[in-house]
Amino acid sequence: VVQEMKKKDGTHLWAKVFAKRKFNENTLVQFVIIDITQHVNYQEEIEEKVKEKTIELTELIKRERNINELKSIFISIASHEFRTPLTSVLASASLIAKYPETNQQDKRVRHVNRIAAAVSNLTDILNDFLSVEQIESGTFEVKNTIFNLPEFIKDVVIVEMDGMVSERNQHIKHIHNGDAMIMLSKKILRNILLNLCSNASKYSPEGSAIHLTSSVVDNRVIITVKDHGIGIPKEEQQKMFTSYFRGNNVDNIQGTGLGLSIVKKYIELLNGDISFISTPKLGTTFTVEFPNLIANL
């Protein structure tokens, strides 16, 4: 029999107890108690290690399955999403050759711009898939630095968005409140804001404004991106951060359905939060919030 016992000093031990009956004039029973605490503890350690390895193996299998699913989805989306921009590139490239005259420069420029836009679209799609792979595999490196937030938005985000919004005769209005200096990952913040601003531009009418507001108050960084676009149907709002999901009101607007899910993963890497309010046909406002790590210095 194996059972837990208590010593006189109050400590516990595991013991194996044997009983042997002696048939003699006094009919005695002899008990033998062997301390097997070390053996039991070792067995528990082995069981715990087996449990941990089982969990690791399960996670590895799950990750491998997700990667295989991602590959399948990538092939499906790539075959669909790549076709339109590639067709545009081929068409514009062939048409450029038909405008050899000097006075036809404006037509050549128009097709060159179409090629550039198509290539940019392809690059965005590939970057989305690369980001998903890096985040899911845990290889995405977070490097926090101290920088001026309003200058960063003006010199990086708005500048990089200029080509896209100018083409649609849109403009970005930026307002900053509070302190200027923050400590975060520039790379991740850039990706988050470009993604949100790109969506705001894509799903808004030509000539509209995108309102970008930033503030640093009480050691918190808060940024909002507001548009006047098509909005998100109420019944679909709970799915907006799901990978590959696209609303039923996006019509023929290109996209992979990965953008917002990647944004959410980026924000989680920075221990931040994201929320939104949206009204169909009136627009959407996304709000992201992070702790300002400069407060920990």
Side-chain angles (χ1 to χ4, degrees):
V1 178
V2 176
Q3 67 180 56
E4 189 176 13
M5 305 182 74
K6 187 176 182 180
K7 297 181 180 179
K8 288 183 177 180
D9 61 4
T11 59
H12 290 257
L13 78 153
W14 285 97
K16 182 173 279 190
V17 182
F18 298 92
K20 183 177 181 181
R21 187 174 183 180
K22 289 187 175 183
F23 293 94
N24 54 31
E25 63 278 5
N26 297 320
T27 313
L28 300 176
V29 176
Q30 183 181 40
F31 288 93
V32 178
I33 300 175
I34 303 176
D35 186 347
I36 60 170
T37 303
Q38 189 174 10
H39 173 75
V40 171
N41 291 341
Y42 178 73
Q43 186 175 6
E44 289 178 350
E45 289 178 8
I46 294 295
E47 290 176 354
E48 186 63 29
K49 288 181 179 179
V50 170
K51 186 177 180 181
E52 291 175 359
K53 292 298 181 183
T54 302
I55 293 174
E56 289 179 9
L57 182 60
T58 302
E59 288 297 320
L60 184 62
I61 293 173
K62 182 179 178 181
R63 191 178 305 139
E64 185 68 24
R65 187 183 297 117
N66 288 340
I67 291 174
N68 289 333
E69 289 176 359
L70 182 62
K71 289 178 180 177
S72 298
I73 295 172
F74 172 78
I75 292 172
S76 175
I77 291 179
S79 64
H80 178 266
E81 294 295 334
F82 282 24
R83 187 177 293 113
T84 300
L86 286 174
T87 301
S88 178
V89 168
L90 290 173
S92 292
S94 63
L95 288 171
I96 286 176
K98 297 183 178 181
Y99 303 118
E101 305 299 329
T102 303
N103 60 359
Q104 295 176 316
Q105 176 64 12
D106 59 330
K107 295 180 180 179
R108 287 193 293 268
V109 169
R110 184 170 68 251
H111 287 293
V112 168
N113 289 338
R114 286 179 181 173
I115 291 174
V119 172
S120 177
N121 184 31
L122 288 172
T123 302
D124 289 342
I125 294 172
L126 290 174
N127 285 339
D128 279 351
F129 281 100
L130 179 61
S131 296
V132 169
E133 192 279 329
Q134 288 178 330
I135 295 173
E136 293 292 341
S137 64
T139 59
F140 196 97
E141 190 175 0
V142 179
K143 290 184 178 180
N144 295 314
T145 58
I146 297 175
F147 60 96
N148 186 299
L149 178 59
E151 288 184 0
F152 171 79
I153 291 176
K154 176 183 176 183
D155 299 338
V156 178
V157 179
I158 294 179
V159 168
E160 291 195 39
M161 284 296 303
D162 182 67
M164 182 175 187
V165 297
S166 296
E167 184 181 348
R168 295 175 57 80
N169 194 29
Q170 298 168 335
H171 57 285
I172 298 177
K173 294 182 178 180
H174 175 233
I175 297 175
H176 180 80
N177 300 303
D179 298 331
M181 304 306 295
I182 68 170
M183 183 176 181
L184 279 176
S185 167
K186 276 188 174 183
K187 180 179 180 180
I188 294 180
L189 186 59
R190 170 191 171 274
N191 291 346
I192 290 171
L193 295 185
L194 287 181
N195 203 305
L196 292 177
C197 289
S198 175
N199 279 351
S201 175
K202 264 197 309 186
Y203 299 115
S204 295
E206 293 189 7
S208 62
I210 298 167
H211 302 272
L212 179 56
T213 303
S214 57
S215 61
V216 182
V217 181
D218 296 331
N219 297 324
R220 301 293 294 178
V221 180
I222 303 172
I223 302 174
T224 63
V225 179
K226 178 181 180 180
D227 65 53
H228 303 282
I230 62 176
I232 304 166
K234 186 175 181 179
E235 65 275 11
E236 297 181 344
Q237 293 185 7
Q238 72 275 11
K239 303 176 184 177
M240 290 311 298
F241 298 110
T242 304
S243 297
Y244 308 107
F245 175 78
R246 303 200 73 208
N248 59 23
N249 63 336
V250 298
D251 297 326
N252 296 321
I253 302 173
Q254 291 184 333
T256 61
L258 280 173
L260 287 178
S261 66
I262 293 173
V263 164
K264 187 171 177 60
K265 288 182 172 65
Y266 278 143
I267 291 171
E268 289 171 350
L269 288 177
L270 298 181
N271 296 316
D273 298 299
I274 181 169
S275 60
F276 68 90
I277 55 174
S278 184
T279 304
K281 299 181 180 180
L282 292 180
T284 303
T285 300
F286 280 93
T287 300
V288 294
E289 185 174 351
F290 313 98
N292 186 5
L293 299 180
I294 201 170
N296 299 327
L297 296 181

